[in-house]
Amino acid sequence: MMRHGHHVAAWRHPDTDLESNPFAVFRRQVHSAERACLDAVFFADSLALTGGVPTLEPLTLLSALAASTERIGLIGTATTTYNEPYTVARQFASLDQISEGRAGWNLVTSDNAAEAANFGRDRHVAHAARYERAREFHQVVAGLWNSWDSDALINDKQGGRLADAGKIHPLNHRGEHFSVAGPLNVSRSPQGRPVVVQAGGSEAGRALAAATAEVVFTAQPSLASAQAFYRDMKGRLAAHGRAAESLKIMPGLFAVVGSSQAEAEDKFGQLQRLIVPEAGLALLGRMIGNFDLSTYPLDGPLPELPQTQDGQRSRQQLLTDLAQGENLSIRQLYERIAGGRGHFTVVGTAEAVADQMQAWFEQEAADGFNFMAPSLPGGLDDFLSLVVPELQRRGLFRKTYQGTTLREHLGLNPAHKQAELS
Amino acid sequence: MMRHGHHVAAWRHPDTDLESNPFAVFRRQVHSAERACLDAVFFADSLALTGGVPTLEPLTLLSALAASTERIGLIGTATTTYNEPYTVARQFASLDQISEGRAGWNLVTSDNAAEAANFGRDRHVAHAARYERAREFHQVVAGLWNSWDSDALINDKQGGRLADAGKIHPLNHRGEHFSVAGPLNVSRSPQGRPVVVQAGGSEAGRALAAATAEVVFTAQPSLASAQAFYRDMKGRLAAHGRAAESLKIMPGLFAVVGSSQAEAEDKFGQLQRLIVPEAGLALLGRMIGNFDLSTYPLDGPLPELPQTQDGQRSRQQLLTDLAQGENLSIRQLYERIAGGRGHFTVVGTAEAVADQMQAWFEQEAADGFNFMAPSLPGGLDDFLSLVVPELQRRGLFRKTYQGTTLREHLGLNPAHKQAELS
């Protein structure tokens, strides 16, 4: 869930609330999502001011939401590039306790120069080194989450024993990037440990996800590409001794929903007309590898660009191919990504959106979806009030929560005695 | 507010709730404190499992409490030794937004070996280097908090301008320990910026507090020592161009309150009898500079100890002087610190406690107090239901909140246009 919605002009939509406390705005939207029994809300993150839009920090926001909700899962992003594993393990374990088992950690690496400049580095960390660090970072975090057995706390006031020391395990990790003694100072949560989410699409990202993730978010423009990704990811699991259902593949879905096709297109057109060229250019520049495009004519072609050194090579290639293939101007290209940003995009009725979701779900392209509301609250409310009931009619989505933890919502096994992923 | 209370045996008290979700337990206690109109709740922190008692991480806990409360201030500890300033600035700014201006940051340095071992260091960072880093860390955090003018967000949907770029300031800090470009990606909060709290008692700690803190917590065993500390701290402010009232001195107060002196002593005795020797020894060992005392006879004298290399030399000296001066055994010494841990301790009626508080307040020893509940919830409830009304009767404490922000509760100026402390 982005501050004002996923469309780059969402904040200009007449319904968007810019005046209230941002937490109060998020809380209303998450309450709507919870009434519709969605698995979780998800917050991406940036360690720099991006697109000029200030927002709240994910861990503090999710913790406040934990106290304001009962059932919905709470997934937040924390980078492995500029954090310490003890701190990340602790904050998510604490969120997991506070929410009684609803926390998820979206593990990312940080690949852009603006973030690097806020953390003492002149340039971002190189791609390969970032992923090596991420792998070891995950190993430490997972180890810390396992440092308290679920029955370690015994609360024996009479006997003077709060915990069974034999069930609290130091980690004593010594690796290339980290040395961490442990144990964690947060005890085990009701779901055993937070759910681990990832989103990297590169080879290194896929390899890391196959080894460590329980949910993968992915940007897929079409059914065919999503099926290829799904096959690839599921196929990697056996080598790690993992069952296919232990990793849920969730493509992004940018859907503008109307009661008719024409109404949906009107809604989308309204947002498209609100794009400020500077914002469109800035978004395109970021997505194409942090290039400044402001000196080129808006209605001219995309210039030849050097291959980005940031971690966005596959996206850069996708966008330059798209611009060349369809002969798009810079303006047309940023209009193409202003909403979905490379994610699967549907503009149509609830039936049309549900048809696509059903096809992806039944044809091994998705285990679920990461819905990206075009604007907030309207784009979310449309999806919840129109598409969710249609999915329920088709027997594809729950009508009430069956479980209480995020693992239960996602159909993942509890992690109390699960073998450690590493 | 500690997990079960400030007394080392608090968790064994019959009223302590070990079974409920720890967040739910904290929330009930904070609601009690808010009904009594206390300025704030305060959470210390440790980056390691300390005393075998797991707890919640302060930022996540305070954020969840922000969503569960309306008025009470929310102060949490974050170390400058093992964090990055951009992250700390952001999480507290976000908490400040979520709580609509009730956040406070207790700036500490980390001085113990158990914490160091969770952050890739074989030993803690040396005292002087820690304080140099802390000073620069504060400078960066304060700069980031000032990077958004309070009127930077203009929310001009028609004109397509979300913010006035001229009122968002990059920091471009380049120092010995940190290089941080800025600006922050969280906009300004209702109180301008979080309140900065410190607790260091050493010369370096006092110098840092005089330059940067707005509240100082301090452990003072007596009125005379508190007066000396108060005079010293207030006297340091002029050199920084600061008024005496811009820094609030708040000694810790460990008070066991009963409806009679005998009842108060019974309550204290009940806790003292619950001390498990291992826990008492471990607490003493930590406070005296991380020494293992378990091989010495409990009822024998404190052995000669080498001067600690950790940042607790003044406390080590205090405790060895106490043991020698009163000829205390190891057991007697840990019993002496099991409750107040070196803080001012009163065991008595509400009138007796209020008399002491009034004397300290009127005789320039304190601008307020950091009340440390012996056990939770009972020790807190006793203070709120017995001492607070007595202070109100004397006209020494508010009956309703007058303001909405922590700065207002504390009588500190808003920080919108305040000159930057550095």
Side-chain angles (χ1 to χ4, degrees):
Chain A
M1 191 174 281
M2 296 184 73
R3 174 74 178 88
H4 304 299
H6 209 70
H7 193 284
V8 73
W11 71 272
R12 296 187 69 194
H13 191 284
D15 296 345
T16 300
D17 181 353
L18 302 179
E19 303 300 334
S20 302
N21 180 315
F23 171 63
V25 175
F26 279 127
R27 183 170 50 190
R28 280 199 300 272
Q29 291 154 3
V30 173
H31 281 165
S32 300
E34 187 173 56
R35 278 194 299 274
C37 303
L38 298 200
D39 292 344
V41 287
F42 161 63
F43 293 94
D45 194 28
S46 167
L47 305 180
L49 182 63
T50 304
V53 182
T55 187
L56 299 173
E57 183 278 336
L59 260 302
T60 46
L61 172 56
L62 287 168
S63 301
L65 289 171
S68 314
T69 55
E70 298 288 333
R71 290 294 193 96
I72 196 163
L74 304 162
I75 303 174
T77 301
T79 183
T80 56
T81 307
Y82 302 122
N83 282 310
E84 290 274 349
Y86 198 87
T87 303
V88 168
R90 226 180 136 208
Q91 292 198 323
F92 278 94
S94 186
L95 173 63
D96 211 28
Q97 286 269 347
I98 292 168
S99 64
E100 306 204 56
R102 297 185 283 134
W105 171 36
N106 181 38
L107 179 170
V108 301
T109 67
S110 294
D111 63 9
N112 89 52
E115 296 181 314
N118 287 328
F119 289 84
R121 290 167 178 89
D122 288 328
R123 286 206 58 72
H124 55 81
V125 181
H127 190 77
R130 283 205 322 272
Y131 274 90
E132 283 166 22
R133 180 180 160 109
R135 181 77 171 253
E136 189 181 332
F137 195 112
H138 172 273
Q139 193 185 346
V140 173
V141 169
L144 290 169
W145 284 342
N146 279 334
S147 61
W148 286 74
D149 290 355
S150 40
D151 56 353
L153 274 176
I154 49 180
N155 298 336
D156 176 9
K157 289 184 181 182
Q158 281 303 321
R161 289 173 72 223
L162 182 62
D164 180 344
K167 294 180 174 173
I168 306 170
H169 312 288
L171 187 63
N172 294 324
H173 172 92
R174 288 196 168 268
E176 184 71 23
H177 297 88
F178 306 107
S179 295
V180 179
L184 201 59
N185 52 4
V186 181
S187 58
R188 204 145 188 136
S189 88
Q191 71 172 345
R193 62 185 184 207
V195 172
V196 174
V197 179
Q198 278 166 56
S202 68
E203 175 55 34
R206 293 181 191 209
L208 181 66
T212 65
E214 298 167 277
V215 174
V216 168
F217 293 152
T218 176
Q220 298 297 335
S222 68
L223 174 62
S225 76
Q227 285 172 320
F229 180 81
Y230 190 97
R231 252 192 325 273
D232 177 65
M233 287 306 307
K234 297 280 186 178
R236 290 171 186 254
L237 297 174
H240 299 279
R242 301 181 61 189
E245 61 272 19
S246 71
L247 177 66
K248 307 298 181 186
I249 312 288
M250 301 212 176
L253 171 64
F254 178 86
V256 186
V257 191
S259 56
S260 66
Q261 183 65 31
E263 189 188 278
E265 285 170 12
D266 277 355
K267 287 180 178 178
F268 187 49
Q270 181 185 20
L271 282 168
Q272 292 287 86
R273 284 190 300 277
L274 291 172
I275 303 171
V276 180
E278 290 74 19
L281 274 176
L283 174 66
L284 179 57
R286 283 199 304 280
M287 289 192 61
I288 215 157
N290 294 310
F291 288 104
D292 179 7
L293 297 170
S294 63
T295 57
Y296 298 94
L298 268 187
D299 296 307
L302 190 69
E304 288 284 334
L305 296 173
Q307 191 181 66
T308 175
Q309 295 307 303
D310 287 0
Q312 298 157 329
R313 273 176 228 175
S314 55
R315 202 157 52 178
Q316 184 187 46
Q317 194 60 50
L318 199 79
L319 290 171
T320 50
D321 289 352
L322 176 67
Q324 283 162 13
E326 301 192 23
N327 200 23
L328 300 178
S329 69
I330 289 179
R331 187 198 304 271
Q332 288 167 325
L333 186 59
Y334 76 58
E335 286 177 351
R336 199 65 77 84
I337 58 166
R341 307 184 188 208
H343 290 269
F344 184 50
T345 296
V346 190
V347 179
T349 61
E351 292 72 25
V353 175
D355 285 349
Q356 293 288 341
M357 293 176 77
Q358 183 163 6
W360 284 46
F361 181 67
E362 292 180 346
Q363 294 171 45
E364 302 199 329
D367 296 318
F369 294 89
N370 185 359
F371 172 67
M372 294 158 161
S375 65
L376 292 166
L380 176 64
D381 290 343
D382 288 345
F383 184 83
L384 298 177
S385 64
L386 299 170
V387 179
V388 168
E390 178 60 27
L391 293 170
Q392 289 170 331
R393 270 191 290 279
R394 299 182 189 193
L396 293 168
F397 195 67
R398 69 173 71 87
K399 291 179 176 169
T400 58
Y401 286 111
Q402 302 300 310
T404 61
T405 69
L406 176 56
R407 283 182 186 283
E408 288 172 303
H409 303 339
L410 293 169
L412 291 167
N413 287 328
H416 289 288
K417 290 169 182 171
Q418 200 177 0
E420 186 177 334
L421 301 169
S422 65
Chain B
M1 191 176 280
M2 297 185 74
R3 174 74 177 89
H4 304 298
H6 208 71
H7 193 286
V8 74
W11 71 272
R12 296 188 70 192
H13 191 283
D15 295 345
T16 300
D17 181 353
L18 302 178
E19 303 299 335
S20 302
N21 180 314
F23 171 63
V25 174
F26 279 128
R27 184 170 49 191
R28 279 199 301 272
Q29 291 154 3
V30 174
H31 282 166
S32 300
E34 187 172 55
R35 277 193 300 275
C37 302
L38 299 201
D39 292 344
V41 287
F42 160 63
F43 293 94
D45 194 28
S46 166
L47 306 180
L49 181 64
T50 304
V53 182
T55 186
L56 298 174
E57 182 279 335
L59 260 302
T60 47
L61 171 56
L62 288 168
S63 301
L65 289 170
S68 314
T69 55
E70 299 287 333
R71 290 293 193 94
I72 195 163
L74 304 161
I75 302 174
T77 301
T79 182
T80 56
T81 307
Y82 302 121
N83 282 309
E84 289 275 349
Y86 198 87
T87 303
V88 167
R90 228 181 134 206
Q91 292 198 321
F92 278 94
S94 187
L95 173 63
D96 210 28
Q97 285 270 347
I98 292 168
S99 65
E100 306 204 56
R102 296 184 282 135
W105 170 36
N106 181 37
L107 181 169
V108 302
T109 67
S110 294
D111 64 7
N112 88 51
E115 296 181 314
N118 286 329
F119 289 84
R121 291 170 179 87
D122 287 328
R123 285 207 58 73
H124 56 81
V125 181
H127 190 77
R130 283 205 322 272
Y131 273 90
E132 283 167 21
R133 180 180 160 110
R135 181 76 172 253
E136 190 182 333
F137 195 112
H138 172 273
Q139 194 184 347
V140 174
V141 169
L144 290 169
W145 285 341
N146 279 333
S147 62
W148 286 73
D149 289 356
S150 40
D151 56 354
L153 273 176
I154 50 181
N155 299 336
D156 177 7
K157 289 185 182 183
Q158 281 301 323
R161 290 174 71 223
L162 182 63
D164 180 344
K167 293 180 174 172
I168 306 169
H169 312 289
L171 186 65
N172 294 324
H173 172 93
R174 287 194 169 271
E176 184 72 24
H177 297 87
F178 306 107
S179 295
V180 179
L184 201 59
N185 53 3
V186 181
S187 58
R188 205 147 187 134
S189 88
Q191 72 173 345
R193 62 184 185 208
V195 173
V196 174
V197 179
Q198 277 165 58
S202 68
E203 176 54 35
R206 292 181 191 209
L208 181 67
T212 65
E214 299 167 275
V215 174
V216 167
F217 293 152
T218 176
Q220 297 297 337
S222 69
L223 174 63
S225 75
Q227 284 172 322
F229 180 81
Y230 189 97
R231 252 192 325 272
D232 176 65
M233 286 307 307
K234 297 279 185 178
R236 291 170 185 255
L237 297 174
H240 299 279
R242 302 181 61 187
E245 61 273 20
S246 70
L247 177 65
K248 307 297 181 188
I249 312 289
M250 302 215 177
L253 171 64
F254 178 87
V256 185
V257 191
S259 55
S260 66
Q261 182 66 30
E263 189 189 276
E265 284 171 11
D266 276 353
K267 287 180 178 178
F268 187 49
Q270 180 185 22
L271 282 167
Q272 292 287 86
R273 283 189 301 277
L274 290 173
I275 303 171
V276 179
E278 290 74 18
L281 275 176
L283 174 67
L284 179 58
R286 284 199 305 281
M287 290 192 62
I288 215 158
N290 294 311
F291 288 103
D292 179 7
L293 298 169
S294 64
T295 57
Y296 299 93
L298 269 186
D299 295 307
L302 190 68
E304 287 285 333
L305 295 173
Q307 192 181 67
T308 176
Q309 294 307 303
D310 288 0
Q312 297 157 328
R313 272 176 228 176
S314 55
R315 203 157 52 177
Q316 184 187 45
Q317 194 58 51
L318 200 79
L319 290 171
T320 50
D321 288 354
L322 176 66
Q324 283 162 12
E326 301 192 23
N327 200 23
L328 301 178
S329 69
I330 290 178
R331 187 197 306 270
Q332 286 168 326
L333 186 59
Y334 76 59
E335 285 176 351
R336 198 66 77 86
I337 60 168
R341 305 182 189 210
H343 290 269
F344 184 52
T345 296
V346 190
V347 179
T349 62
E351 292 70 27
V353 175
D355 285 348
Q356 293 288 342
M357 293 175 77
Q358 182 163 5
W360 284 46
F361 181 68
E362 292 179 347
Q363 294 170 46
E364 302 200 328
D367 295 316
F369 295 89
N370 185 1
F371 172 67
M372 295 158 160
S375 64
L376 292 166
L380 176 64
D381 289 343
D382 287 345
F383 184 83
L384 298 177
S385 65
L386 299 170
V387 179
V388 168
E390 179 61 28
L391 294 171
Q392 289 169 334
R393 268 190 292 279
R394 299 182 187 192
L396 293 169
F397 195 66
R398 70 173 70 86
K399 291 180 176 169
T400 59
Y401 286 111
Q402 302 300 311
T404 60
T405 69
L406 176 56
R407 281 183 187 282
E408 288 172 303
H409 302 339
L410 292 169
L412 291 167
N413 287 328
H416 289 288
K417 290 166 183 172
Q418 199 177 2
E420 184 176 336
L421 303 169
S422 66

